[in-house]
């Protein structure tokens, strides 16, 4: 871990006060916790204060957070110095966190580091124009697209000396830059021969829920005897699509090629096979975020709201502090993301 | 209660005990660095590892409850081992890690000889290190004038952080950074703002925090240890005075659950240099307006000449804050034999007096009893400055489960939140009249505690206020069977003893203020340094330091401080405690009772004792409760508050102010101390900064 220290006194601003946006954010965060427990919001507040102060935490900002949360200064200082995401010294307008962990190094991070050293200078050093500073950090979890850097809030992946130089040039000149992969691949899919996930039905929404629907249609309740007892012992809202560990499942769960073969059907539907192999609908080289591309329709119970549909809940996802569980708009007991669970506002057991 | 087997010994301990406590109950010793009985459990040093039967690996015994242990397969009690080879190996491993970064500077470390790490390394340390990298280097921190730091030695036990935050109540210290880079410091390396800060150096199990004033002056094994009692305030903390030869080298706290637990204030600890500075080491006599050194005979002759030519009505005696019971008793006998009625031991002018009964001036609840109170009202006191360890008890009570606490007086930071009712007698009257919501809480409380401080009593209307407080205490049921919630907080170590002796003006006698303002021609001043004596009177000062009393004196009789004599002190609870002699007084100075005995001979009224034991025999015969050392003689408070409440009177309108203006400079010893002067300057600066 790099040696961290507080910024020298001459760099510290005279004062710091929350902007109205930060203050609104603070109120929202503090409301998440019961009265008297406002200190729990210290990390989000420090984070927001860092954002407001231009990517680093001046001493006055730490004190402002402490005052806002009614905490002793030293307690907030402990948190700010513990977490390395809090920069205690000024950073450049573009703060580059360079990943120097093994996968990136194997993929050529050493060259990227040389570029940084050549163009910016040593770590923790802001360029004269205030544009750049950089810091070597541990793994940022984008090993598939190594080497990579994080600049402010975004990842820039698949770097080479050339495209990284160009990226820095563009940033310095204020030109728009592309986040993510710099060699045009989509997320972390194979960057040359794309051989998987090419079935268009995967992307038109028809697959969503199909598996479960088929299961629900085929599953027959056990009628008598041991099987009935076993079935009765299964919780009513068991998640069918998941293996029910150790429990007796009387009906076969799914339409599998093996089952079809057993029943004398063609194991694989030739139509399906043909569609899957059709190169004209392959997704090769096609970006999902391209204009006009339809986001996959989603189940309304999915915890990921789809931007194209009205699935966005009208109420905030986080209930207001102090709302009794039964009156909350949505359940917060984990069941909201599980299929097959109907939100029961009266909280009655069905 | 839960049964547990420790090293084959079955013990029955409360289920909420930790394994460490259970092991101690079974007589097994468990090494530890971070664990401390009076602080929260951190569990970060890992030195207290023990083996629990059935657990896959050793567990930290300080952080594992007895109730969390699984019983054996057939329901046997859980079994732990503190001496098995696994445990020894685990502790050796922990010790090796601790020593990786710990410097090998024991020969130049002040903690040497009293160091937990040193001691435990003897048992668990290995003789070589397998660590070949560089040791960690940490810059030393500034923590104020009382604590020296050497942060390379720190093992991150966080005892100091927990003490300042939990007991002292000033969240000044913290651990910054993390992992190997972790550093213990105060915020921006400011000096600590607590009057108990030096205790962190006692708590430090290594030499990272040591006492700055006494650093590099001695080794602990060179010192002679004497158990004694503190006189800096009326709490009477138990202390141990360590001396080398004639000189007191340091003062340490002694564990006394009833009084100070195991903390002492910085003033108690660090006035050591005041004991040797500005001392009066020979008698002086004023001639032609200047004091000149004299012999004892000359001094006594001068006094005798003056006293013999003066009417007993024009002779008076006042007593200071540091006097022991023995010399006050001797003075009382001497004055009685001279027929003097002008005798008063209340130099601050407090209205407390033995006429209303002993219960009217004691801290009847007792200091330990604070922990049982379920509503607390403080009237005219700032306990943090007047009796810091009483304040620590209130804070301890507040931390356990916050009771309603309210204060009438100065709105000061007491380290715990309280309801501020008002500043003066009017608020008290409103409260008593039921026009304050807090009265409901007091009435509802089963064990209400009302603390009345000297700020409310050292004023002309003090008796009316005391009467009002007493009637309030009676109304809310503060004094009843099994609970005594009427408590007077004193600020002077000598006061309760003096009141027990009856050192108040006799019939027609003058009070201290009257005597000081010219009511007498000859004034015998036994160590009263916080009072101005008007010109005119012939003043005989018997004391220890060249302070205000000595400057005003016409004859100075050099006496002994509390570390240089064996004396009885009675603390604010009425607890009789004995201070023992740890060193000898400098030069020709003598013990106070012996001076009075010698003087009485010259005056022709020889006191009837020739030794301290003979004096004590007389004292105990006259006042038997002084013989009950370390105990509190219960007083009849119910009738005392009945009597007080009956006095009535019209309180004034002035706000209560604490008599302690500067915590660090309340008595002549502290005023002579350079360390206290530095602390005082720093505290003023902190106060100014806080006011900004």
């Amino acid at each position: 871990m790099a040696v961290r220290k507080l910024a020298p006194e001459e760099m510290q601003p005279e004062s710091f006060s929350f902007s109205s946006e930060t203050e609104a954010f603070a109120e929202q965060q503090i409301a998440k916790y019961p009265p008297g427990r406002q200190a729990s919001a210290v990390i989000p507040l420090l984070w927001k204060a860092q954002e407001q102060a231009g990517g680093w935490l001046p001493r006055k900002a730490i004190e402002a957070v402490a005052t806002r949360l009614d905490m002793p200064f030293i307690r907030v200082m402990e948190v700010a110095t513990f977490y390395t995401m809090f920069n205690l010294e000024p950073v450049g307008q573009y703060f580059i966190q360079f990943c120097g962990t093994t996968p990136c190094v194997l993929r050529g991070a050493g060259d990227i580091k040389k570029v940084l050293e050549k163009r910016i200078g040593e770590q923790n050093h802001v360029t004269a124009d205030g544009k750049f500073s950089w810091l070597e950090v541990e793994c940022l979890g984008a090993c598939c697209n190594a080497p990579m850097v994080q600049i402010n809030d975004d990842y820039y992946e698949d770097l080479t000396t050339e495209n990284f130089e160009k990226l820095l040039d563009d940033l310095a000149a204020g030109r728009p830059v592309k986040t993510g992969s710099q060699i045009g691949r989509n997320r972390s899919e194979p960057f040359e021969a794309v051989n998987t996930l090419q079935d268009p039905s995967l992307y038109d929404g028809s697959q969503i829920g199909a598996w479960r629907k088929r299961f629900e249609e085929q599953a027959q309740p056990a009628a008598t005897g041991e099987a009935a007892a076993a079935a009765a012992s299964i919780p009513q809202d068991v998640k069918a699509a998941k293996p029910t560990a150790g429990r007796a499942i009387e009906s076969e769960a799914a339409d599998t090629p093996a089952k079809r073969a057993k029943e004398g059907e063609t194991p694989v539907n030739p139509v399906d096979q043909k569609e899957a192999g059709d190169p004209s609908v392959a997704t090769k080289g096609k970006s999902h975020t391209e204009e006009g591309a339809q986001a996959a329709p989603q189940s309304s119970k999915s915890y990921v709201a789809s931007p194209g549909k009205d699935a966005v809940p009208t109420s905030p996802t986080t209930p207001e502090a102090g709302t009794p569980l039964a009156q909350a708009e949505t359940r917060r007991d984990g069941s909201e993301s599980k299929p097959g669970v109907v939100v029961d506002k009266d909280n009655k057991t069905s | 209660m839960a049964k547990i087997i420790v090293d084959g010994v079955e013990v029955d301990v409360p289920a909420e005990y930790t394994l460490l406590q259970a092991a101690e109950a079974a007589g097994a010793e468990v090494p530890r660095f971070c664990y401390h009985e009076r602080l929260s459990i951190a569990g970060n040093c890992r030195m207290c590892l023990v083996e629990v039967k059935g657990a896959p690996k050793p567990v930290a015994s300080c952080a594992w409850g007895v109730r969390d242990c699984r019983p054996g397969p057939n329901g046997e009690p859980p079994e732990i081992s503190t001496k098995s080879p696994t445990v020894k190996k685990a502790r050796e491993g922990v010790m090796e890690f601790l020593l990786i970064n710990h410097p090998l500077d024991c020969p130049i470390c002040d903690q040497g000889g009293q160091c937990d790490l040193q001691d435990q390394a003897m048992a668990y340390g290995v003789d070589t290190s397998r660590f070949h990298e560089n040791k960690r280097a940490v810059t030393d921190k500034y923590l104020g004038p009382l604590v020296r730091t050497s942060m390379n030695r720190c093992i991150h036990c966080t005892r100091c952080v927990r003490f300042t935050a939990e007991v002292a109540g000033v969240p000044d210290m913290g651990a910054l950074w993390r992992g190997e880079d972790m550093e213990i410091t105060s915020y921006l390396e400011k000096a600590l703002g607590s009057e108990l800060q030096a205790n962190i150096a006692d708590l430090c199990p290594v030499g990272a925090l040591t006492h700055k004033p006494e650093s590099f002056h001695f080794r602990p094994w060179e010192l002679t240890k004497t158990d004694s009692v503190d006189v800096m305030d009326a709490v009477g903390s138990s202390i141990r005075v360590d001396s080398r030869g004639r000189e007191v080298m340091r003062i340490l706290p002694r564990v006394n659950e009833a009084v100070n637990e195991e903390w002492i204030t910085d003033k108690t600890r660090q006035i050591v240099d005041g004991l040797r500075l500005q001392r009066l080491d020979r008698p002086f006599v004023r001639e032609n307006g200047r004091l000149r050194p004299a012999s004892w005979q000359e001094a006594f002759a001068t006094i005798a000449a003056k006293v013999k030519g003066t009417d007993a009505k024009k002779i008076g005696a006042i007593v200071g804050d540091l006097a022991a019971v023995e010399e006050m008793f001797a003075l009382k006998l001497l004055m009685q034999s001279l027929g003097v009625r002008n005798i008063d031991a209340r130099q601050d002018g407090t209205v407390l007096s033995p006429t209303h009964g002993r219960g009217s001036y004691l801290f009847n609840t007792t200091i330990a009893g604070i922990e049982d109170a379920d509503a607390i009202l403080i009237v005219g006191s700032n306990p943090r400055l007047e009796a810091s360890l009483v304040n620590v008890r209130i804070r301890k009570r507040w931390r356990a489960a916050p009771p309603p606490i309210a204060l009438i007086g100065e709105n000061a930071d007491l380290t715990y939140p309280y309801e501020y009712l008002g500043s003066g007698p009017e608020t008290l009257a409103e409260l008593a009249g039921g026009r304050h919501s807090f009265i409901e809480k007091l009435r509802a409380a089963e064990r209400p505690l009302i603390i009345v401080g000297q700020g409310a009593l050292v004023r002309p209307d003090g008796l009316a206020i005391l009467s009002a407080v007493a009637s309030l205490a009676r109304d809310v049921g503060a004094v009843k069977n099994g609970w005594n919630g009427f408590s007077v907080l004193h600020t002077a170590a000598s006061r309760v003893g003096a009141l027990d002796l009856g050192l108040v003006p006799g019939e027609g006698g003058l009070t201290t203020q009257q005597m000081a303002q010219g009511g007498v021609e000859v004034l015998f001043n036994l160590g009263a340094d916080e009072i101005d004596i008007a010109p005119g009177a012939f003043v005989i000062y018997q004391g220890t330091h060249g302070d205000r009393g000595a400057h005003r004196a016409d004859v100075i009789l050099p006496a002994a401080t509390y570390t240089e004599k064996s004396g009885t002190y009675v603390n604010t609870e009425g607890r009789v405690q004995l201070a023992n002699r740890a060193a000898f007084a400098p030069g020709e100075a003598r013990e106070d009772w012996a001076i009075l005995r010698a003087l009485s001979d010259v005056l022709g009224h020889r006191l009837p004792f020739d030794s301290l034991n003979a004096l004590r025999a007389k004292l105990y015969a006259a006042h038997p409760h002084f013989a009950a050392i370390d105990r509190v003689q219960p007083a009849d408070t119910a009738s005392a508050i009945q009597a007080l409440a009956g006095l009535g009177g019209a309180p004034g309108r002035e706000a209560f102010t604490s008599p302690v203006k500067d915590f660090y400079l309340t008595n002549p010893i502290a005023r002579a101390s350079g360390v206290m002067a530095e602390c005082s300057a720093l505290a003023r600066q902190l106060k100014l900064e806080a006011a900004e």
Side-chain angles (χ1 to χ4, degrees), chain B residues 229-299:
Chain B
V229 54
D230 173 52
V231 300
M232 293 300 120
D233 50 30
V235 174
S237 307
S238 295
I239 54 171
R240 194 185 85 193
V241 181
D242 286 8
S243 54
R244 185 173 60 189
R246 293 183 70 98
E247 205 176 353
V248 173
M249 300 306 289
R250 68 167 171 186
I251 292 174
L252 291 176
R254 245 181 328 130
V255 176
N256 186 344
E257 296 295 344
V259 181
N260 57 324
E261 297 182 279
E262 63 176 276
W263 321 120
I264 52 174
T265 64
D266 296 344
K267 186 163 56 170
T268 301
R269 186 192 303 270
Q270 297 297 6
I271 43 106
V272 169
D273 63 334
L275 291 170
R276 60 175 173 265
L277 296 172
Q278 291 203 31
R279 285 303 297 274
L280 301 169
D281 58 353
R282 62 176 73 177
F284 290 84
V285 173
R286 193 177 290 276
E287 267 183 8
N288 306 324
R290 291 186 66 82
L291 287 166
R292 68 160 178 87
S295 67
W296 280 104
Q297 285 78 5
E298 279 178 89

Side-chain angles (χ1 to χ4, degrees), chain B residues 363-689:
Chain B
F363 198 93
N364 293 300
T365 315
T366 73
I367 293 169
I370 293 172
E371 290 178 32
D372 297 326
D374 54 3
I376 301 174
L377 172 68
I378 302 167
V379 181
S381 176
N382 178 347
R384 188 173 175 192
L385 300 185
E386 293 168 25
S388 310
L389 292 161
V390 168
N391 201 50
V392 164
R393 281 295 174 130
I394 302 176
R395 182 175 160 79
K396 188 180 177 190
R397 173 70 189 87
W398 172 79
R399 268 175 60 80
I405 305 177
L407 181 137
I408 304 175
E410 280 177 23
N411 194 355
D413 175 14
L414 296 183
T415 71
Y416 43 84
Y418 58 82
E419 198 177 321
Y420 182 65
L421 302 181
S423 64
E426 287 173 334
T427 316
L428 183 64
E430 276 178 30
L431 185 68
R435 272 166 293 163
H436 245 296
S437 60
F438 191 76
I439 191 77
E440 300 307 322
K441 294 177 189 163
L442 271 183
R443 287 211 177 104
E446 260 175 57
R447 294 179 301 278
L449 166 61
I450 298 176
I451 298 174
V452 52
Q454 298 303 319
L457 304 177
V458 294
R459 32 194 281 160
D461 57 351
L463 207 54
I465 294 164
L466 184 62
S467 170
V469 174
S471 64
L472 176 68
R474 190 187 51 187
D475 293 349
V476 301
V479 180
K480 55 191 163 196
N481 212 2
W483 177 249
N484 195 335
F486 178 75
S487 293
V488 177
L489 189 59
H490 286 263
T491 53
S494 70
R495 191 79 74 245
V496 176
L499 293 172
D500 280 355
L501 284 172
L503 279 187
V504 290
E507 211 170 304
L510 303 175
T511 65
T512 303
Q513 312 306 324
Q514 288 164 331
M515 284 186 258
Q517 284 153 17
V520 290
E521 282 167 18
V522 175
L523 182 62
F524 194 94
N525 179 353
L526 182 60
D529 285 288
E530 287 79 34
I531 186 165
D532 275 321
I533 298 167
F538 180 84
V539 180
I540 304 145
Y541 175 76
Q542 176 179 334
T544 55
H545 285 72
D547 208 78
R548 192 159 14 153
H551 289 304
R552 173 63 187 84
D554 293 291
V555 176
I556 294 175
L557 306 175
T561 60
Y562 69 110
T563 55
E564 295 153 3
K565 64 188 173 196
S566 177
T568 306
Y569 289 91
V570 187
N571 81 351
T572 188
E573 308 166 280
R575 188 179 302 278
V576 181
Q577 303 189 101
L578 213 52
N580 289 310
R581 187 172 64 203
F584 287 94
E588 292 174 41
R590 292 290 178 269
E591 292 191 25
D592 294 79
W593 74 270
I595 296 170
L596 290 163
R597 163 69 181 75
L599 178 63
S600 70
D601 217 359
V602 178
L603 294 177
H605 296 274
R606 179 187 291 195
L607 290 171
F609 39 77
D610 292 323
S611 69
L612 191 60
N613 282 343
L615 187 159
R616 286 204 174 130
K618 292 259 178 235
L619 173 68
Y620 296 160
H623 304 276
H625 74 272
F626 286 123
I629 304 292
D630 289 337
R631 268 173 288 161
V632 179
Q633 185 83 28
D636 181 6
T637 316
S639 63
I641 65 165
Q642 200 68 33
L644 285 176
L647 291 174
R653 305 167 62 91
E654 253 177 277
F656 300 136
T657 53
S658 172
V660 177
K661 300 280 177 262
D662 190 332
F663 171 75
Y664 295 100
L665 301 176
T666 52
N667 62 48
I669 306 177
R671 283 190 290 268
S673 160
V675 180
M676 286 299 106
E678 199 179 343
C679 289
S680 164
L682 203 65
R684 268 202 303 275
Q685 194 188 324
L686 283 178
K687 209 171 168 184
L688 281 181
E689 276 174 26

Side-chain angles (χ1 to χ4, degrees), chain A residues 15 29 42-43 45 49 60 189 197 285 340:
Chain A
S15 65
Q29 293 298 318
V42 63
I43 290 179
L45 256 66
K60 293 286 181 192
E189 72 186 11
L197 301 174

Side-chain angles (χ1 to χ4, degrees), chain A residues 1 4-6 59 63 72-75 77-78 81-84 88, chain B residues 161 165 171-179 181 185-188 190:
Chain A
M1 198 164 70
R4 301 166 75 223
K5 53 188 191 300
L6 294 187
R59 185 162 61 78
E63 290 173 6
F73 291 169
I74 185 81
R75 294 282 100 84
M77 185 69 103
E78 283 176 331
T81 54
F82 186 91
Y83 292 103
T84 50
L88 300 166
Chain B
V161 177
D172 281 349
M173 293 193 82
L176 299 192
W177 317 110
R178 73 188 204 190
D181 301 318
T185 183
S186 62
Y187 187 68
L188 307 178
K190 280 197 188 120

Side-chain angles (χ1 to χ4, degrees), chain B residues 196-215:
Chain B
L196 298 159
Q197 52 178 285
N199 287 306
I200 63 173
D202 280 355
L203 284 170
C204 186
V206 295
L209 307 177
T210 52
H211 297 293
K212 207 180 243 178
E214 65 206 35
S215 57

Side-chain angles (χ1 to χ4, degrees), chain B residues 344-380:
Chain B
D344 196 355
R346 304 168 298 180
Q347 63 161 329
D348 55 3
T350 181
V351 297
L352 298 169
S353 125
T355 50
H356 311 298
R358 195 161 183 255
S360 70
Y361 59 82
L362 290 187
F363 198 93
N364 293 300
T365 315
T366 73
I367 293 169
I370 293 172
E371 290 178 32
D372 297 326
D374 54 3
I376 301 174
L377 172 68
I378 302 167
V379 181

